[in-house]
Amino acid sequence: TIDTTSWQTYEDKTNGYSIKYPADYLIKMQTDGYVVFDPKSIDTPDTTYLHISVTVEDNDFHTYRLGVLTDPSVQSDSVSEEDVTIDGLDGKKITLKNALGETIIHYIVNYLGKVYDISVSDSVDSEILNNVLASFRINQLADDVDIFDTNEFTGKACVSNNDCGAFPCYENKCLVKQCTSDSECLAGTCGQYATPVLGYCTTIDVL
């Protein structure tokens, strides 16, 4: 087994998650919604693909999943899927090969309108990968909080949609607003379809 006591913890407060990575890895790239951990600071022609990345998008889970499956660089006959649980949430493990023949694994899960994608190549040691996945935490709301309760989130300060239940975070406040069209919501959509908050701006709303 791997001793993870010296591992580093990466926390993304904006996107509401944390993850641990090996002490000999470094943060190779970091932008809004995307981070790469890698044991090498510079790529070389003989680089073995050992990096781990996390992508976060405000997106519908099935739309994001379809984007992974239909990426032009993916060898369509190489794709396999299985159900997984990540931080207690139902997700998907998608294994595929890219145009270079490298095997890439996507672990995707969603929570309150955000999709989280932990991606690795099969060159990553399985014990390292298992410990990275086990360490992944989304800042989920407490079980006793009704994420659709307008009173709970009206006027609440926020840094991301995760702080607002079903409602969008706009200009650092939860946007709990009645609406008749998407254009009134500034962020998110107007709940007119399959949503428990009918007629309010929401991030959980699908046709």
Side-chain angles (χ1 to χ4, degrees):
T1 58
I2 294 177
D3 181 5
T4 62
T5 55
S6 64
W7 281 27
Q8 305 294 313
T9 299
Y10 176 82
E11 184 176 8
D12 184 335
K13 292 183 178 180
T14 300
N15 291 300
Y17 77 89
S18 64
I19 192 169
K20 291 186 176 182
Y21 60 97
D24 59 343
Y25 274 54
L26 50 87
I27 297 176
K28 187 172 184 176
M29 181 184 300
Q30 182 181 7
T31 62
D32 290 343
Y34 183 65
V35 63
V36 177
F37 310 101
D38 200 301
K40 297 178 181 290
S41 59
I42 300 175
D43 286 325
T44 59
D46 61 346
T47 296
T48 53
Y49 294 88
L50 297 172
H51 67 258
I52 301 164
S53 68
V54 182
T55 303
V56 186
E57 285 190 11
D58 290 313
N59 206 334
D60 171 72
F61 179 84
H62 300 291
T63 302
Y64 186 91
R65 169 184 161 274
L66 186 61
V68 171
L69 297 177
T70 58
D71 188 306
S73 68
V74 172
Q75 299 180 20
S76 58
D77 59 352
S78 70
V79 176
S80 65
E81 288 188 79
E82 62 181 278
D83 295 328
V84 293
T85 301
I86 302 173
D87 194 17
L89 301 169
D90 292 335
K92 286 283 187 183
K93 174 185 177 183
I94 301 175
T95 304
L96 51 84
K97 287 188 177 182
N98 62 19
L100 299 176
E102 303 155 358
T103 299
I104 308 297
I105 309 170
H106 293 263
Y107 294 86
I108 61 174
V109 65
N110 72 316
Y111 183 68
L112 297 185
K114 285 187 181 291
V115 178
Y116 301 81
D117 179 356
I118 307 167
S119 302
V120 300
S121 77
D122 65 346
S123 299
V124 175
D125 179 273
S126 60
E127 284 194 80
I128 290 178
L129 172 58
N130 290 338
N131 280 280
V132 167
L133 291 171
S135 75
F136 184 74
R137 294 288 181 271
I138 297 173
N139 298 333
Q140 300 180 43
L141 295 169
D143 291 339
D144 59 351
V145 175
D146 179 357
I147 66 170
F148 308 113
D149 184 355
T150 57
N151 292 324
E152 175 77 23
F153 298 100
T154 299
K156 181 182 176 183
C158 60
V159 295
S160 73
N161 292 341
N162 280 348
D163 299 322
C164 296
F167 308 101
C169 177
Y170 181 72
E171 295 184 345
N172 299 118
K173 283 193 176 181
C174 297
L175 182 65
V176 182
K177 177 183 176 183
Q178 287 187 297
C179 58
T180 57
S181 67
D182 292 349
S183 61
E184 298 174 58
C185 290
L186 305 175
T189 58
C190 184
Q192 304 176 71
Y193 314 110
T195 175
V197 202
L198 191 67
Y200 280 83
C201 298
T202 178
T203 58
I204 306 175
D205 189 30
V206 294
L207 289 171

